[in-house]
Amino acid sequence: MNSPANITDPLVLFMPSGKRGRFPVGTPVLDAARQLGVYVESVCGGRATCGRCQIEVQEGNFAKHKIVSSNDHISPKGPKEERYERVRGLPDGRRLSCSATIQGDLVIDVPQDTVINAQVVRKAATDRVIERNAAVQLCYVEVEEPDMHKPLGDLDRLKAALEKDWGWKELLIAPHLIPQIQKILRTTLPDQPEVSPGKWGVTAVVHRDMDSSRPFIIGLYPGLKNEAYGIACDIGSTTIAMHLVSLLSGRIAASSGTSNPQIRFGEDLMSRVSYVMMNPDGREAMTKAVREAVNTLIGKVCDEGAVDRHDIFDCVFVANPIMHHLFLGIDPTELGQAPFALAVSGALQYWAHELDIDVSRGARLYTLPCIAGHVGADAAGATLSEGPYRQDKMMLLVDVGTNAEIVLGNKDRVVAASSPTGPAFEGAEISSGQRAAPGAIERVRIDPETLEPRYHVIGTEQWSDEAGFDEASWKTGVTGICGSAIIEVVAEMYLSGIISEDGVIDGSLAAKSPRIIPNGRTFSYLLREGRQGEPRITVTQNDVRAIQLAKAALYAGVKLLMEKQGAETVDAIRFAGAFGSFIDPKYAMVLGLIPDCDLAEVKAVGNAAGTGALMALLNRDHRREIEREVGRIEKIETALEPHFQQLFIDAMALPNKVDPFPKLSEQVKLPPRKATSETETDAAAPRRRSREERAARRARD
């Protein structure tokens, strides 16, 4: 921006990065994106010829951001943009950001299909061996041709053949197949097994895990068909991950992920509930967006696995409660207010086409049960995957996201809760934060003597202090800090003495290092001075506070469950989720994100929710297992626990105000407690405690 922003200037919010700023009326959207460090590609240099800089305006009342966004708040199409649309074509709703200018408050979505350096979706497949007992079975049979002396209908003779050869009794059939049966039976295909005289050879797709106890014919094909696939899908608030699996062999044919397009309606779950409440068609818009994303992802994994999407006969989905409800077309409003009532908590089954999922017409769709109002089917999937209820030791299972889901227990008892950590760990609400994408800093180390940093960037092999880093990072640039680095940089700032245990940046260190820079009434840590065209990357006092609030909410929830279990320590910790896979356990413990534990027993288990969905897809016995165990899990609601507030306040300190960390201290030298201008030693302490108490009440409620 050439001049300082005025508070009357329009406010522009970019999604999915979450970056925002004020810009004068008439500023090209592309210029605004670049000034905020939002990656919008432009090969032609803003001449409106390449079409790479496409954006979409999101319309509606975004209450959390105090933005009413409308297409009226962006300039009409000019001659260059009209020419591009006429010659090359623009999808409905798309604009070229190099030509469109800001005329009012806007929420801008950067479509992921236009971004080459797109977010790295870190939800990979599992290498676990899963015993196969799929709900779908392919059954080839020879059906007797009709006979004047045997007046049974074609369907009845098909059922008789399936009972004779496969033992299926009382078979039901999907209604859409009935009009097709005679044509299918009479179709002859080349290169098929020889059929006995007077008989037709067909393959029936039988599903044996329906709401009814009776098996269902959900597909019928002429000749021998030997391909049947299923999908296991985890709908997260930030990303959607999917496995395409052979139901015959258990082989994972392809795995992929994509950003959840609902993020344009709000970064966190409560923002999306708010959007539904504020916009009459909000629920329908979000349901449509997520289903379209699922269908697009199905197409992607089918292309990668060289599979026809109509060979998909079974689908298993997991999601947190709000994503679960929105995917199923259920209004999530009740989940946004006490008592956080689920519309339905048990496992559900649908015909996939009832939810507009584009797979085989007869495909079935199963959702795992939800555990509680904010502990969803994704937590149930992770619980199935890791099995704390199968353990002798006390296991803590944590899925860190915008809403952390926590499960603690062993074979004797399992308890669960959720904590509203917010989007800080994923880069939102952090001044230089961004999602994990090429150019994002993902690892940080700070020299405790010089306070000089070194860091590692996604997409570049070298660390910043190694030869060739500048050249190697030039392609992606260094654009911000992603979640794993946010944890590490705050923990490293604590270990090097830059911040006190109360999270206050020590301004007196400015005399020691130019990295400590004044920022109004507080100080910031300069992580990187940006090169030409790159943003300056700092860690501000507000950033540290945001991380403290997020980690305190999580730790307080964990401690509450430990108290309910009567456990002073935990024996094992499992980080689930894409973000958890890239958290360094040492730094998570230094930060006080998790309780003290032997670091060798702290492990990332990847997308455990997706693994649980995969288990339920490949073995229907796992469906009964998790349905049974979810009924036994005790749900703890933090909003009803008066002790949560004090636990939250204690957890604001690094690692914690009262809890010792003896196992961590054996491996990491923790700094002595350090008083600064906002610690317990000065007059500001009552104000700080009052702020923490208000934050604790907000987190609990």
Side-chain angles (χ1 to χ4, degrees):
M1 224 172 292
N2 296 327
S3 59
N6 189 301
I7 59 172
T8 61
D9 289 338
L11 179 61
V12 181
L13 170 67
F14 285 88
M15 289 298 185
S17 69
K19 294 187 176 182
R20 71 208 73 194
R22 292 189 179 275
F23 300 87
V25 169
T27 302
V29 175
L30 180 60
D31 289 355
R34 285 174 170 170
Q35 291 177 41
L36 290 175
V38 175
Y39 186 85
V40 178
E41 184 171 301
S42 177
V43 175
C44 67
R47 296 181 180 85
T49 58
C50 71
R52 297 278 192 177
C53 66
Q54 295 176 27
I55 51 93
E56 294 178 358
V57 174
Q58 300 305 315
E59 292 195 289
N61 186 340
F62 297 81
K64 175 182 176 182
H65 306 292
K66 300 179 180 177
I67 294 177
V68 176
S69 177
S70 168
N71 275 305
D72 295 333
H73 295 173
I74 198 167
S75 63
K77 293 175 182 174
K80 290 183 178 180
E81 197 171 7
E82 287 179 340
R83 181 182 181 280
Y84 180 89
E85 185 175 32
R86 186 172 63 254
V87 175
R88 303 279 298 277
L90 270 175
D92 289 343
R94 295 280 178 90
R95 296 294 304 274
L96 298 182
S97 62
C98 64
S99 296
T101 61
I102 297 164
Q103 302 297 317
D105 292 352
L106 288 167
V107 175
I108 298 290
D109 183 45
V110 181
Q112 295 302 293
D113 59 1
T114 68
V115 179
I116 291 178
N117 285 344
Q119 176 184 352
V120 178
V121 179
R122 295 169 160 183
K123 291 191 175 184
T126 180
D127 56 2
R128 179 177 306 193
V129 176
I130 301 170
E131 183 180 353
R132 194 178 63 82
N133 182 19
V136 168
Q137 187 172 351
L138 298 185
C139 303
Y140 177 79
V141 291
E142 292 187 348
V143 180
E144 289 187 2
E145 295 180 7
D147 189 309
M148 293 284 289
H149 303 290
K150 298 178 181 178
L152 274 180
D154 286 355
L155 173 59
D156 300 285
R157 283 181 285 103
L158 170 64
K159 289 182 178 181
L162 286 166
E163 180 175 353
K164 175 178 178 290
D165 292 353
W166 293 91
W168 295 116
K169 295 182 179 180
E170 299 184 327
L171 276 165
L172 299 173
I173 187 166
H176 77 278
L177 287 174
I178 294 175
Q180 304 175 38
I181 287 174
Q182 291 190 313
K183 181 179 179 181
I184 293 170
L185 286 172
R186 288 162 175 79
T187 299
T188 302
L189 298 177
D191 302 322
Q192 287 288 316
E194 290 188 8
V195 183
S196 304
K199 293 188 176 182
W200 295 315
V202 293
T203 301
V205 184
V206 178
H207 197 289
R208 48 182 175 162
D209 194 62
M210 307 285 272
D211 299 325
S212 164
S213 59
R214 295 167 65 182
F216 247 86
I217 302 172
I218 62 171
L220 187 65
Y221 295 86
L224 175 65
K225 183 176 182 60
N226 58 7
E227 291 184 339
Y229 291 87
I231 56 169
C233 186
D234 171 19
I235 302 178
S237 55
T238 305
T239 58
I240 303 173
M242 183 179 292
H243 303 309
L244 174 67
V245 191
S246 167
L247 297 177
L248 278 66
S249 67
R251 176 183 64 88
I252 297 177
S255 297
S256 192
T258 187
S259 297
N260 187 333
Q262 288 181 348
I263 200 166
R264 68 175 68 118
F265 302 101
E267 301 123 329
D268 56 61
L269 297 172
M270 288 302 103
S271 295
R272 296 180 202 179
V273 173
S274 174
Y275 188 87
V276 171
M277 296 171 69
M278 299 287 290
N279 296 274
D281 60 350
R283 198 280 302 158
E284 291 85 352
M286 280 194 271
T287 296
K288 181 181 178 182
V290 72
R291 290 181 181 176
E292 287 179 348
V294 166
N295 280 326
T296 299
L297 197 52
I298 290 172
K300 185 176 180 181
V301 293
C302 285
D303 287 344
E304 291 178 3
V307 170
D308 185 334
R309 67 191 305 146
H310 298 105
D311 284 338
I312 296 173
F313 297 102
D314 206 10
C315 312
V316 174
F317 281 80
V318 295
N320 63 58
I322 290 173
M323 293 299 96
H324 170 276
H325 278 37
L326 287 171
F327 174 66
L328 297 179
I330 301 170
D331 188 331
T333 300
E334 292 299 327
L335 289 168
Q337 56 198 358
F340 313 110
L342 289 156
V344 58
S345 56
L348 295 172
Q349 293 202 39
Y350 293 83
W351 296 104
H353 69 82
E354 291 178 317
L355 302 185
D356 303 320
I357 303 305
D358 185 11
V359 288
S360 168
R361 182 72 168 82
R364 295 292 290 175
L365 188 150
Y366 173 85
T367 65
L368 270 67
C370 292
I371 296 175
H374 285 296
V375 188
D378 53 349
T383 301
L384 174 62
S385 171
E386 300 310 306
Y389 55 87
R390 298 190 289 262
Q391 310 292 325
D392 291 320
K393 57 189 177 184
M394 186 64 66
M395 175 185 285
L396 172 64
L397 176 61
V398 181
D399 190 338
V400 183
T402 52
N403 185 68
E405 295 169 311
I406 313 164
V407 178
L408 176 70
N410 55 24
K411 64 182 183 181
D412 297 322
R413 183 189 185 202
V414 179
V415 293
S418 67
S419 278
T421 51
F425 288 137
E426 296 182 341
E429 299 182 356
I430 301 297
S431 61
S432 296
Q434 69 165 87
R435 304 197 185 281
I441 295 173
E442 64 172 346
R443 294 278 178 261
V444 179
R445 302 291 182 267
I446 298 175
D447 187 299
E449 298 300 323
T450 66
L451 306 187
E452 285 296 303
R454 62 189 189 96
Y455 43 85
H456 189 267
V457 175
I458 297 175
T460 302
E461 292 185 8
Q462 298 92 333
W463 281 69
S464 61
D465 60 342
E466 294 177 346
F469 172 80
D470 287 340
E471 294 79 5
S473 64
W474 189 259
K475 182 178 179 180
T476 63
V478 182
T479 54
I481 314 172
C482 72
S484 58
I486 290 167
I487 287 178
E488 291 192 7
V489 72
V490 174
E492 280 279 322
M493 288 169 70
Y494 171 61
L495 292 175
S496 60
I498 295 172
I499 58 176
S500 67
E501 68 166 356
D502 294 309
V504 180
I505 298 177
D506 187 353
S508 69
L509 291 176
K512 177 181 178 181
S513 170
R515 295 282 176 180
I516 311 300
I517 56 177
N519 185 3
R521 297 177 62 185
T522 61
F523 289 83
S524 299
Y525 177 72
L526 178 61
L527 184 58
R528 175 181 170 86
E529 188 71 70
R531 296 180 301 197
Q532 183 178 2
E534 291 180 351
R536 194 185 202 203
I537 299 174
T538 61
V539 182
T540 69
Q541 184 65 70
N542 285 340
D543 294 339
V544 176
R545 284 282 181 258
I547 293 301
Q548 285 180 278
L549 291 168
K551 75 98 176 179
L554 175 55
Y555 191 92
V558 172
K559 283 293 294 184
L560 201 59
L561 295 190
M562 291 174 67
E563 289 182 355
K564 295 294 181 181
Q565 286 280 29
E568 295 185 2
T569 61
V570 296
D571 301 312
I573 299 175
R574 298 291 180 262
F575 274 120
F579 180 51
S581 298
F582 291 86
I583 296 175
D584 187 310
K586 180 182 77 173
Y587 288 108
M589 206 173 291
V590 169
L591 192 67
L593 187 67
I594 52 176
D596 191 52
C597 183
D598 181 354
L599 284 172
E601 290 295 328
V602 184
K603 295 183 172 69
V605 292
N607 184 17
T611 301
L614 188 61
M615 293 170 66
L617 176 68
L618 287 174
N619 192 324
R620 62 198 179 105
D621 293 337
H622 286 313
R623 303 183 187 188
R624 308 292 89 79
E625 178 185 346
I626 194 57
E627 290 166 6
R628 179 181 66 250
E629 294 302 326
V630 162
R632 296 175 51 199
I633 294 174
E634 298 176 41
K635 298 83 176 176
I636 308 300
E637 183 50 66
T638 57
L640 302 178
E641 297 292 335
H643 191 38
F644 180 86
Q645 181 170 317
Q646 186 58 51
L647 293 172
F648 181 94
I649 292 171
D650 292 339
M652 283 288 291
L654 280 74
N656 193 279
K657 182 65 73 176
V658 296
D659 287 352
F661 281 72
K663 291 185 173 65
L664 176 63
S665 298
E666 292 174 2
Q667 301 190 44
V668 179
K669 184 179 179 182
L670 298 177
R673 292 187 172 181
K674 180 178 181 180
T676 64
S677 61
E678 278 193 26
T679 62
E680 298 286 358
T681 61
D682 74 359
R687 292 197 302 273
R688 181 182 62 77
R689 285 195 296 271
S690 177
R691 288 198 303 271
E692 292 173 353
E693 288 166 357
R694 290 196 299 272
R697 285 194 293 271
R698 287 196 299 270
R700 185 188 65 193
D701 298 337

